[in-house]
Amino acid sequence: MSNGLGFLRASSTVLQSLSGLNPSTLHFRGRIGRPGLSVLRFSSATSLLVVRCSSSSQALREQLAGESNAAMTMDPENRGDNIRKRFLTFYESRGHKILPSSSLVPEDPTVLLTIAGMLQFKPVFLGQVPSSVPRATTSQKCVRTNDIENVGVTARHHTFFEMLGNFSFGDYFKKEAIRFAWELATKEFKLPEERVFVSVFEEDDEAYAIWRDEIGVPVERIKRMGAEDNFWASGPTGPCGPCSEMYYDFHPERGLKDTDLNDDSRFIEFYNLVFMQSNRLDDGSLIPLLKKNIDTGLGLERLAQILQKVPNNYETDLIYPIISFAADLANIDYKKADERTKTYLKVIGDHTRAVTYLISDGVNPSNVGRGYIVRRLIRRIVRMGRLLGIKGDGKGNPEGTFLPRISEVAVSLSPLVDPNVKDNAARIYEELDREEARFVQTLERGEKLLEKLMTDALSGKNGTEQPRLAGKDIFLLYDTFGFPVEITEEVARERGVGVDLEGFEAEMEVQRTQSQAAANVVKLTVGGAAAELTAKLSKSKFLGYHSTEGKGEVVALLSQGVPLTEASQGEIELILDETPFYAESGGQIGDQGTIEGRSDDGSQFIVRVVDVVKAGQGLILHRGQVERGTITLGAKVSATVDAQKRRRAMAHHTATHLLQSALKKVLGDSVSQAGSLVAFDRLRFDFNLPRGMTEEEVQKTEDLVNGWIGQAVDLETKVMALGDAKKSGAIAMFGEKYEEEVRVVNVEGISKELCGGTHVRNTADIRGIKIMSEQGIAAGVRRIEAVCGEAFIEYVNQRDSVVKQLNSLLKVKPEDLATRVQSLQEELRSMNKEAAALRAELAVAKAQSFASSAEVVGPGNVRVLVTSLGTVDSDALRVAAEHLITKMGDPSAFVIASTSGDGKVNLVAAFSKSVVKQGLAAGKFLGPIAKMCGGGGGGKPNFAQAGGKLPEKLEEALKKAKIDLVDALSKAS
C-alpha cells in the first residue's frame, strides 16, 4: 500500500475485517466503518477491493497492508466455500448424490444434537429403511459440546463445525473408499503425498495392504493403531468396523523415526474412513453385515487450515471474520494480542457460529436440554466479551448488546452453509439480544452473590477456620452466574480469601461427565426387533381417518421387544396389517381400545390397548394387556378404538389449529408453534413469545376460537405434494420432517396446516374452549393449557360445583364471592397481627423474668444468660431479644432459644459493646451451637440469629453454649 492506495483481494476475511462488508456485494463505493478508509471500487468479477487510506491513519494502513498480503497469497480455490464445493463436486462426479445437511435438531431421540454426518443415514445403516441412493455425499452442520473447555485452547476443537462426508450403502467398500480419499487429498486438493500419513486398525490387514500395495504409501507412513483410535462402534452392540484415518504432517523436517500421530503439534487428522462391516452381538461376538457400508468424515475447518496455511482452524476464512469483528469491537489487534486474549476471541468466533445456527434451527435458550447448551454458549460469549472490554453495541449505545452484531458476521457467511439462516436472521438477533441482556442482569446478581460469599468467608459464617470459598460456590458463580474462575480468584486474593479449586474441578468433572453421557453418543442397534420387523413387514395401513373400527391380521407379536408366536397373559405389543388405531405423533397421543379375535382352538381372546406408537418405518405398534384367552401370531382380529376418547382427542387437536390462528391474530404473525400435546383430557400448546400475555390478550384469543367454533365451519382434508402444500399457504410445524406427500387440514378462512392427526368434521363439534392457564416454560417460550368438548363441560361443571359450595359456606351470592373472600383475608391479616403482637409480648415477659437470674462472669463482670423461652416463634423471639438487650445493659451476653409449633429450633445471641471488644462475636459463636441442632445461621458480632430442625438437641446445645460462653469470658481480659 503506497500513497494511501491499496488493492485487496476480496476474501471474506478482509471484507469482514472492514466492519462487516458483505462479500456477496457486486459493486460498492463510498466510505466504510474504519476512520480514514474509503472504498473506491469492489467487483466480484475480479474479487479486488480498491481502498484509499488517509496519511493520518498509519496504523490502519499497516494493518490493511498485512491483511492485503495475506489475502493475496490465498488461492481463491482454497477458500472455505470453495473447499466445500470442490469436495461435493468431486464425489458427485463419481456417482454420489449430493444431499442437503439435516437440521442440528436430530430426529433421533437418543441424541441431543446432530453430532456426526452419518446421523441422518442411521435408519439406512440399521436396515430400517432402504436407501434412496447407493452413494451419497453431504456437508453436514454439527455441534458437539463434550470438549467445550478445549475450544480456543487447541488449534482444532470446535462446538460448531462442518463435516464433509461420502457414504456408500452396500455399494462400494474399502478399496474404492481408500482410492477416492487419496485422490481427493493429493489430486483434487494437491496435498503433497510425502506429508500425508495414514492409520489403520491393528488387525485390518486388508486396509493396510490397499494403502501399501495399491495406493503406494510407504510403510513408514502407515501406522497400525488399537481399537481406541481406529475401531468405530455405535455402542456395546450394533454396527461397527475398523477405521482408517488420514493425517497431515506440518513438520516433515522432524523425520520419520518414532513418529506419533497423536502429536497435535505435528499432525492433524483431517479425514476418517469408517468401514462398517460387522454387527456386534450381546455376547461380544462379531458377525458380518449382509451389506457393508462406508461412512466418512472430513473436517472442513481442518482442511481449510491446511490449505490456507494458517496456524489454526480459527484463522481460516470460515471463522476469522467473526473473530476480527469482535476484536474491532474490543479495540484489540488480534495479531498482536497475548494468548489469553486470542483464546477469548477464538471462543467468541466459535460459539457465535454455534448459537447462530442452533437458533436458526429452532433451539432457543432455556434451562433444559438443547436450550441449555445454547444458553451456556451465549453466556461464555458474553463473559469473554466483557473480559475483553467490549462495551455496548459498538454503535454508540453503551447499554446495547454486542452479540447480535457479531452474529451478523456469522449470518453473512452462512448462505452456502445453510440458506435458511439468512431468512431467520431477525429471529436470531432478537433471541441473542434478549438472552445477552438477561445474562448481564444475571452477572450483576452474581457480583452481589460474590460479595456475600466474601463477607461470609471473612466473618467465618461458611464454617471454615480460614477465610475460604468452597468449590461448589466457585462453580455456582461460574456455571450459573458466568463468573470466570480467574476473576473469582483475583477478587478473593485481594480480600485475603482462599479458593477451593480442587472442589471446583470436582464439580466441573461431574458436569462434563453428565454432558458427555447425554449429548455425544450415536446409538445404533442392528438385529433389534424394530429393525427386523421393518425389514420384513409392509407398512401398517391406517384406517382411522374414516372409522374407529376395523379388521386386520396380527403380523407381529412381541413381549418386551422379544418376538412371540402366542401370548396368554401379561403386557404385549402387536402389529396389525390394517388398524383404526392412531399412533402417537404430531403431539396427539395414541388411541386406546380393544383388539378381539379367536385362537386356533376357537376360544376368544381380548387385548386391552393402552397406547399406540410408531415403530420403525411405517409400522404401528399397539401396546396392551391380554385380558382373556390366548392371542396368536397370524390371528384375524377386530380392532375397536374407544370412540369417546377419540372424539375428545379430535376436538383438542382441531382446537390447537384454531388456537394457533387466534394467537397470530392477537399477537402477530411472528408467533409460531414450539410444541403441543393433544390428550383426551386437555390440550397443551407451546409458542414463541418473549413476554407473558396480558389477561385481555388471553381472553381475546379464547373469544376468537369460540367464535370460530360457533360459526360451524366444515374441515377439509387433502393429500398433496409437499411443495404444493407449502405454496398453498399451509403452515408446517417448525423442525418437523414431512414425507413427499402430506395431509393438509383446512378450516376455510381460519386455518390451514400440514397435519397427520385426527380431527372433527366441523368446528361446532369442538363445542367450546376454555383456556385454563398461560405461563412461561423457557426463555421466549410460553404455554397455554386448555380444554375442549367433553373436557370443557367437565371443567365448567367442576368449577360450578366449587362455586356452589363456597356460596353455601359463606352464605353469599356468586357475584359477591370475591368481595366476601377479600373481607375474610383482611380479617385474617388483622387477627394474625394481633396474635403476633400477643406472642411477642408473652416472649418479652418471659425473657424479662429470666433476666433477673443472669450470672456475673469473668473479670469484666459480664452478665450472662443462656436459656430457653419454650414454644415461641422466631419473630417473637427476636422481639424478646431486642427488649432483653436494653434490660440487661452493658456488659452483658446472652443466648436465648425457643421451639416453634412446627418443631423447628430458633436461636438468638446478643453481645454488648464491651463484650465484642473482648474479641467475642455473636455470629461466629452461634454457628456451632445451631449446627448441634441440625441447622445454621449467623449475623453481626453484636447480634445473630440461627435455626435448626432437631429440637431434641436444644437442651444439650444450650448447655454447651453456656459452658463455652462462661469459659470465653473468664479468659478475656
Side-chain angles (χ1 to χ4, degrees):
M1 181 176 290
S2 60
N3 299 320
L5 187 65
F7 299 87
L8 306 182
R9 180 70 63 187
S11 73
S12 58
T13 301
V14 172
L15 294 180
Q16 289 300 335
S17 72
L18 302 181
S19 74
L21 181 63
N22 190 338
S24 64
T25 304
L26 293 179
H27 299 280
F28 183 87
R29 290 179 179 273
R31 296 182 61 80
I32 57 179
R34 293 183 178 180
L37 184 67
S38 299
V39 174
L40 302 182
R41 183 173 66 257
F42 167 57
S43 172
S44 62
T46 60
S47 294
L48 282 178
L49 180 71
V50 184
V51 300
R52 185 184 301 281
C53 188
S54 68
S55 58
S56 62
S57 302
Q58 182 62 31
L60 176 61
R61 291 171 60 189
E62 292 175 358
Q63 181 180 351
L64 288 173
E67 291 176 353
S68 173
N69 293 335
M72 291 291 285
T73 59
M74 183 192 297
D75 185 343
E77 286 296 296
N78 290 336
R79 294 174 191 155
D81 286 342
N82 283 332
I83 294 173
R84 183 191 307 107
K85 180 180 178 181
R86 291 168 67 187
F87 179 94
L88 297 175
T89 302
F90 175 89
Y91 279 104
E92 183 182 38
S93 68
R94 287 154 180 80
H96 294 67
K97 174 73 172 177
I98 299 177
L99 297 178
S101 170
S102 59
S103 169
L104 288 171
V105 180
E107 296 178 42
D108 187 343
T110 69
V111 186
L112 202 60
L113 294 168
T114 298
I115 60 173
M118 56 76 65
L119 198 59
Q120 66 170 298
F121 304 115
K122 174 178 172 178
V124 177
F125 291 140
L126 285 172
Q128 293 178 343
V129 297
S131 174
S132 58
V133 293
R135 305 178 178 189
T137 184
T138 64
S139 176
Q140 175 63 52
K141 302 174 297 180
C142 299
V143 168
R144 293 182 187 172
T145 57
N146 54 326
D147 288 317
I148 191 171
E149 299 301 329
N150 287 324
V151 171
V153 178
T154 70
R156 58 183 176 81
H157 281 98
H158 299 289
T159 53
F160 177 89
F161 58 94
E162 287 183 76
M163 188 63 77
L164 307 175
N166 57 287
F167 306 89
S168 168
F169 310 109
D171 186 13
Y172 63 83
F173 199 49
K174 286 184 188 179
K175 184 180 297 186
E176 295 87 343
I178 291 173
R179 178 169 53 82
F180 287 154
W182 182 257
E183 186 180 351
L184 176 82
T186 61
K187 301 297 189 293
E188 175 63 34
F189 290 116
K190 300 180 175 58
L191 298 184
E193 294 186 7
E194 66 276 9
R195 286 198 172 200
V196 178
F197 282 64
V198 295
S199 67
V200 298
F201 179 50
E202 57 191 358
E203 299 176 12
D204 191 356
D205 295 333
E206 180 186 4
Y208 187 94
I210 295 171
W211 283 113
R212 181 193 61 197
D213 302 334
E214 300 193 26
I215 303 301
V217 178
V219 293
E220 57 267 25
R221 296 210 314 272
I222 307 174
K223 303 294 181 182
R224 292 183 184 266
M225 301 177 75
E228 182 178 351
D229 294 300
N230 278 69
F231 193 89
W232 182 88
S234 63
T237 61
C240 55
C243 305
S244 186
E245 298 173 333
M246 301 179 72
Y247 293 78
Y248 184 78
D249 183 4
F250 288 110
H251 296 285
E253 72 279 2
R254 296 182 185 177
L256 297 175
K257 185 178 180 181
D258 299 325
T259 51
D260 179 7
L261 295 182
N262 289 318
D263 180 0
D264 287 345
S265 68
R266 176 173 179 177
F267 297 102
I268 186 171
E269 178 224 325
F270 65 92
Y271 206 172
N272 183 17
L273 316 178
V274 176
F275 310 128
M276 204 179 296
Q277 63 188 43
S278 302
N279 179 31
R280 179 176 283 144
L281 303 181
D282 291 334
D283 61 3
S285 61
L286 298 177
I287 60 172
L289 288 172
L290 295 177
K291 288 187 176 181
K292 294 179 171 59
N293 305 306
I294 290 294
D295 160 26
T296 79
L298 184 150
L300 175 59
E301 290 79 7
R302 297 186 181 192
L303 186 57
Q305 178 197 346
I306 296 169
L307 296 177
Q308 294 176 16
K309 297 180 173 64
V310 291
N312 53 69
N313 295 358
Y314 300 93
E315 295 183 33
T316 67
D317 67 341
L318 295 166
I319 307 175
Y320 188 72
I322 307 172
I323 293 174
S324 179
F325 186 78
D328 282 349
L329 287 180
N331 294 316
I332 291 170
D333 183 342
Y334 174 84
K335 299 296 183 183
K336 297 179 180 178
D338 58 39
E339 286 307 311
R340 174 176 287 189
T341 298
K342 285 185 176 181
T343 296
Y344 290 165
L345 287 167
K346 290 173 185 176
V347 170
I348 291 174
D350 170 89
H351 288 8
T352 298
R353 288 208 305 169
V355 298
T356 297
Y357 285 90
L358 281 165
I359 294 174
S360 177
D361 278 357
V363 184
N364 293 327
S366 72
N367 286 329
V368 294
R370 302 180 183 101
Y372 176 71
I373 291 175
V374 175
R375 172 160 288 170
R376 185 183 179 200
L377 295 178
I378 289 174
R379 289 182 172 186
R380 283 172 61 87
I381 298 170
V382 176
R383 197 168 67 232
M384 300 301 178
R386 288 168 70 93
L387 284 171
L388 292 172
I390 299 178
K391 296 180 180 178
D393 60 4
K395 295 181 179 180
N397 179 9
E399 303 301 321
T401 55
F402 66 82
L403 183 48
R405 290 211 64 206
I406 299 177
S407 178
E408 289 175 10
V409 184
V411 171
S412 74
L413 297 171
S414 69
L416 297 180
V417 184
D418 180 358
N420 293 322
V421 173
K422 195 170 183 180
D423 296 336
N424 296 326
R427 178 168 57 83
I428 294 168
Y429 303 149
E430 287 175 6
E431 286 293 337
L432 293 176
D433 176 75
R434 182 164 50 248
E435 186 66 16
E436 181 179 342
R438 180 184 291 112
F439 181 49
V440 168
Q441 295 176 348
T442 301
L443 277 174
E444 291 171 353
R445 291 197 299 271
E447 290 170 355
K448 295 177 182 177
L449 174 61
L450 177 59
E451 178 60 29
K452 181 180 183 301
L453 291 171
M454 291 294 177
T455 302
D456 289 348
L458 290 167
S459 66
K461 287 183 184 178
N462 58 7
T464 58
E465 294 182 4
Q466 299 295 327
R468 184 177 174 85
L469 283 184
K472 62 181 179 60
D473 291 331
I474 302 171
F475 180 77
L476 175 68
L477 285 164
Y478 171 82
D479 190 57
T480 302
F481 295 98
F483 260 76
V485 178
E486 56 266 30
I487 288 184
T488 302
E489 282 187 275
E490 183 178 339
V491 174
R493 185 168 58 251
E494 291 172 356
R495 302 281 291 276
V497 176
V499 289
D500 178 14
L501 293 182
E502 290 185 2
F504 168 78
E505 286 298 331
E507 296 285 343
M508 283 292 294
E509 186 58 34
V510 170
Q511 186 192 66
R512 289 190 194 103
T513 302
Q514 292 173 343
S515 176
Q516 292 174 6
N520 296 284
V521 179
V522 180
K523 296 181 180 178
L524 305 181
T525 304
V526 169
E532 293 180 2
L533 292 172
T534 301
K536 295 177 180 178
L537 302 178
S538 300
K539 289 183 178 181
S540 304
K541 183 178 180 181
F542 179 56
L543 311 172
Y545 288 134
H546 308 291
S547 176
T548 56
E549 297 181 358
K551 296 188 180 298
E553 178 183 340
V554 179
V555 294
L557 186 62
L558 308 97
S559 176
Q560 298 182 343
V562 178
L564 305 174
T565 56
E566 63 177 38
S568 57
Q569 60 182 359
E571 297 179 357
I572 62 165
E573 297 109 26
L574 58 93
I575 297 174
L576 307 179
D577 59 346
E578 299 184 3
T579 179
F581 282 84
Y582 181 81
E584 178 182 343
S585 62
Q588 181 176 337
I589 66 173
D591 281 329
Q592 296 181 2
T594 59
I595 294 175
E596 303 180 28
R598 294 196 175 274
S599 305
D600 294 339
D601 61 3
S603 61
Q604 184 188 33
F605 61 79
I606 299 176
V607 176
R608 177 68 56 185
V609 178
V610 296
D611 191 20
V612 185
V613 297
K614 291 184 176 180
Q617 189 71 14
L619 299 180
I620 297 177
L621 186 75
H622 308 70
R623 291 173 175 160
Q625 184 90 18
V626 180
E627 291 191 342
R628 181 192 302 173
T630 300
I631 182 172
T632 57
L633 185 65
K636 305 293 184 182
V637 298
S638 296
T640 306
V641 173
D642 186 322
Q644 183 182 23
K645 288 184 176 179
R646 167 69 76 80
R647 284 194 298 270
R648 285 171 169 257
M650 290 162 62
H652 283 131
H653 204 153
T654 305
T656 62
H657 288 213
L658 303 186
L659 185 58
Q660 177 163 221
S661 295
L663 287 169
K664 286 181 177 291
K665 284 187 174 292
V666 173
L667 303 173
D669 286 335
S670 61
V671 170
S672 61
Q673 183 176 346
S676 68
L677 170 68
V678 176
F680 305 131
D681 60 341
R682 73 191 190 284
L683 71 84
R684 189 178 71 209
F685 188 83
D686 300 340
F687 57 100
N688 295 313
L689 188 69
R691 59 172 178 84
M693 293 177 68
T694 64
E695 291 183 9
E696 292 77 13
E697 288 170 335
V698 173
Q699 189 60 54
K700 189 174 180 180
T701 300
E702 183 181 291
D703 291 344
L704 268 174
V705 177
N706 278 322
W708 291 330
I709 291 171
Q711 291 175 17
V713 182
D714 286 334
L715 272 72
E716 180 186 29
T717 59
K718 286 184 178 179
V719 177
M720 306 171 61
L722 178 59
D724 293 340
K726 289 183 177 180
K727 288 178 182 177
S728 74
I731 296 175
M733 172 63 179
F734 188 82
E736 188 82 9
K737 184 174 182 179
Y738 297 95
E739 302 291 339
E740 287 303 313
E741 284 196 338
V742 293
R743 189 167 178 262
V744 178
V745 178
N746 182 31
V747 188
E748 189 61 41
I750 300 173
S751 166
K752 182 184 283 188
E753 296 190 31
L754 307 184
C755 183
T758 60
H759 289 271
V760 299
R761 296 186 179 183
N762 185 287
T763 59
D765 296 337
I766 301 174
R767 303 173 74 175
I769 185 173
K770 182 63 185 175
I771 295 177
M772 299 185 294
S773 66
E774 188 276 340
Q775 60 184 337
I777 59 169
V781 181
R782 309 293 298 179
R783 170 172 291 171
I784 280 178
E785 294 205 27
V787 286
C788 301
E790 291 294 329
F792 167 74
I793 294 172
E794 290 168 359
Y795 177 81
V796 172
N797 286 340
Q798 182 187 34
R799 289 299 178 96
D800 183 59
S801 176
V802 172
V803 171
K804 287 178 179 177
Q805 290 180 47
L806 290 173
N807 292 341
S808 176
L809 290 170
L810 300 177
K811 302 188 184 307
V812 294
K813 297 177 181 179
E815 57 269 25
D816 296 329
L817 269 177
T819 302
R820 179 60 177 143
V821 170
Q822 185 176 5
S823 175
L824 288 173
Q825 287 178 326
E826 291 174 356
E827 290 177 18
L828 182 60
R829 279 194 291 268
S830 177
M831 293 173 65
N832 284 338
K833 286 181 180 179
E834 291 179 13
L838 290 172
R839 288 193 296 269
E841 289 179 14
L842 179 61
V844 169
K846 286 183 177 181
Q848 288 178 341
S849 69
F850 285 122
S852 59
S853 61
E855 300 178 25
V856 178
V857 176
N861 294 321
V862 180
R863 298 183 68 201
V864 174
L865 175 65
V866 179
T867 189
S868 171
L869 302 187
T871 304
V872 174
D873 63 37
S874 59
D875 290 336
L877 185 69
R878 179 179 52 79
V879 172
E882 291 170 351
H883 280 270
L884 202 56
I885 290 171
T886 303
K887 178 75 174 176
M888 294 185 67
D890 189 19
S892 64
F894 66 80
V895 176
I896 58 174
S898 69
T899 55
S900 302
D902 56 3
K904 292 183 179 178
V905 174
N906 308 303
L907 293 160
V908 172
F911 296 169
S912 66
K913 290 182 179 179
S914 60
V915 173
V916 172
K917 286 182 179 179
Q918 294 179 44
L920 277 74
K924 194 169 184 179
F925 179 84
L926 195 59
I929 306 303
K931 193 172 183 180
M932 291 180 64
C933 297
K940 299 177 181 178
N942 64 317
F943 190 86
Q945 286 182 274
K949 54 187 178 182
L950 301 175
E952 64 273 16
K953 296 288 186 179
L954 180 57
E955 183 178 353
E956 179 184 350
L958 289 178
K959 286 181 180 178
K960 176 174 173 53
K962 185 170 183 179
I963 293 171
D964 291 350
L965 187 55
V966 170
D967 183 58
L969 290 170
S970 298
K971 294 177 180 177
S973 57

